[in-house]
Amino acid sequence: MTRVFSGVKPTGHLTLGNYLGAMRRWAAVDQHRSDALFCVVDLHALTVDHDPARVRRLSRQAASLLLAAGLDPELCTVFVQSHVDEHARLSYVLECVATDGEMRRMIQYKEKAARERERGGSVRLSLLTYPVLMAADILAYGTDEVPVGDDQTQHVELARDLAVRFNQRYGHTFVVPRATRPGVAARVMNLQEPASKMGKSDDVGPGIVYVLDEPDVVRKKVMRAVTDSGREVVYDRVARPGLANLLEVLAACAGGEPAELAGAYDSYGALKKDVAEAVVEVLRPLRERHQELCADPGYVEGVLRVGAERARAMSRPTVDAAYRAIGLLPPVPETVVNAAR
């Protein structure tokens, strides 16, 4: 079967964009058609200043929400990145294949480093090198496909480049992955700033709908969404980005094509009302299932424990092969050590 890997970073509460752009497809499509792994990539949350307790809390919440979204541990592997040592083991080896120039050309590094400097903070080395850790996440499992949004495509391209370079220099070791993109609502935009993605790392904001927002909160945020000049309801991503975002969200929640849906409305208010109700309804089962899982933390912990064991067994042969290929001595078996004594 095709192997799929993807993950969520516990740097903030998961948003409507995370659900419509990724999680829903993982549950409805990817876990059924492939050998799929879904990971809470908590090591990536350490690349910027953070509260350790908050990272732990958000990691648990993200894992629960993955299950609440419909991921079935009988069909796929759900685990936490730091529970599987192979990610960090392979990351260093790949750092020895990557170049400084490649890292500094990463768009997200440039943007996040600039924001950190504006706040007067120092830029952590891990922020520069985390795309290599992401490549290790992918390559350790012989991943064929990585479902990502547009903003992560560059990182998958890096993983492809590192896999090809390693294979050419040290012998065929890695599967060369490819990025796959969902269709409508692949990138849900901020309701107040439609030129910016609805990112979970933002601290607060009326333009961000979180999957655990109460229905009234969701309605208020959608009804206050920024639209565009003009009265006609049309779908135009370039000229009318705010309106286009609402139409794409409606299409993702209720079905249909954004351009066709636009023709059913003669006012922004009616459109916003329908978008708000569609979002409330699409998030309702997710919120209800999450509450059930929060009441049974032992179940979630058991899923993560079994998932980590399965992920470890899947990744270790590839990472061990990479260690051998690049020139590292294999560890001495315990039986040999005991015999020498």
Side-chain angles (χ1 to χ4, degrees), residues 145-304:
E145 296 181 4
V146 187
V148 292
D150 295 339
D151 58 329
Q152 292 292 334
T153 301
Q154 188 183 35
H155 292 158
V156 180
E157 289 301 316
L158 175 68
R160 289 174 56 84
D161 292 343
L162 294 180
V164 170
R165 190 178 307 156
F166 190 100
N167 290 346
Q168 290 175 342
R169 291 180 181 177
Y170 307 113
H172 185 79
T173 305
F174 298 116
V175 173
V176 180
R178 61 184 179 275
T180 58
R181 302 175 186 84
V184 171
R187 196 178 190 195
V188 178
M189 312 306 284
N190 189 299
L191 296 179
Q192 292 296 318
E193 301 175 19
S196 302
K197 187 181 74 167
M198 187 182 287
K200 64 180 179 300
S201 297
D202 299 327
D203 292 330
V204 293
I208 307 165
V209 176
Y210 298 104
V211 296
L212 294 179
D213 277 345
E214 294 291 335
D216 286 346
V217 174
V218 172
R219 293 186 183 99
K220 184 178 294 185
K221 289 179 177 180
V222 174
M223 294 305 293
R224 293 179 177 177
V226 168
T227 49
D228 311 281
S229 58
R231 297 182 178 180
E232 187 181 4
V233 179
V234 295
Y235 178 70
D236 188 330
R237 168 51 73 183
V238 176
R240 312 282 287 278
L243 195 55
N245 188 38
L246 289 173
L247 288 165
E248 288 182 357
V249 170
L250 180 61
C253 291
E257 293 295 328
E260 295 176 1
L261 291 171
Y265 296 94
D266 56 12
S267 72
Y268 292 165
L271 171 62
K272 288 182 176 181
K273 183 177 179 180
D274 282 0
V275 172
E277 293 308 316
V279 171
V280 167
E281 289 307 311
V282 84
L283 293 180
R284 189 185 304 281
L286 177 68
R287 293 178 63 251
E288 291 175 351
R289 178 58 178 153
H290 178 258
Q291 289 178 347
E292 294 173 358
L293 291 170
C294 287
D296 188 8
Y299 172 76
V300 177
E301 292 172 0
V303 169
L304 296 179

Side-chain angles (χ1 to χ4, degrees), residues 119-162:
R119 288 195 290 260
S122 57
V123 180
R124 300 186 181 195
L125 179 61
S126 57
L127 185 62
L128 178 67
T129 61
Y130 95 88
V132 179
L133 176 57
M134 182 174 175
D137 298 338
I138 296 166
L139 299 181
Y141 297 96
T143 302
D144 299 296
E145 296 181 4
V146 187
V148 292
D150 295 339
D151 58 329
Q152 292 292 334
T153 301
Q154 188 183 35
H155 292 158
V156 180
E157 289 301 316
L158 175 68
R160 289 174 56 84
D161 292 343
L162 294 180

